[in-house]
Amino acid sequence: MASSKEYLDFILKQLSELDDVTYRAMMGEYIIYYCGKIVGGIYDDRFLVKPTKSAVEMMPNADTELPYDGAKEMLLVDDVDNKDFLRELLEAMYEELPAPKKK
């Protein structure tokens, strides 16, 4: 099942307090970038993030889910209505994420 553009727009609005949040459509889903680094994505209308140390600390009870068959597990962000939490989450994750690969 592909994610809806409406859910993408909702998540982008919730992340609007952060500078440099972008996305890329990929096979009916959306990869979310913060300052050029992949933080997670929207899969089947679920906002999933990479399980960095800070993300696990901030969401200790988060469910781990597969974005798609064959992928690594990611953390389900339940509190998508809380803009402050989302901003803090992405800011905390940023330093732990790998730098973008050179093309």
Side-chain angles (χ1 to χ4, degrees), residues 2 7 9 19 21 23-24 27-28 33-35 37 41 45 47 49 52 57 62 67-68 75-76 89-91 101-102:
Y7 190 74
D9 291 341
D19 291 331
V21 172
Y23 72 92
R24 189 170 81 194
M27 298 183 292
Y33 297 83
Y34 175 51
C35 296
K37 294 182 178 182
D45 287 339
F47 184 34
V49 295
T52 63
E57 288 173 359
Y68 53 88
L75 299 175
L76 174 64
L89 176 64
L90 267 61
E91 288 174 343
K101 293 180 180 166
K102 302 286 183 199

Side-chain angles (χ1 to χ4, degrees), residues 45-60:
D45 287 339
R46 300 169 299 162
F47 184 34
L48 304 177
V49 295
K50 291 186 173 192
T52 63
K53 182 177 182 234
S54 57
V56 170
E57 288 173 359
M58 292 181 71
M59 301 185 302

Side-chain angles (χ1 to χ4, degrees), residues 11 18 20 31 34-35 47 55 58 61-62 65 67 75-76 86 98:
I11 295 297
L18 291 164
D20 201 16
I31 308 299
Y34 175 51
C35 296
F47 184 34
M58 292 181 71
N61 299 318
E65 299 193 9
L75 299 175
L76 174 64
L86 292 176

Side-chain angles (χ1 to χ4, degrees), residues 43 46 48-49 62-68 71-76 78:
Y43 305 91
R46 300 169 299 162
L48 304 177
V49 295
D63 292 334
T64 55
E65 299 193 9
L66 293 174
Y68 53 88
K72 294 180 181 176
E73 287 187 335
M74 298 177 82
L75 299 175
L76 174 64
D78 274 338

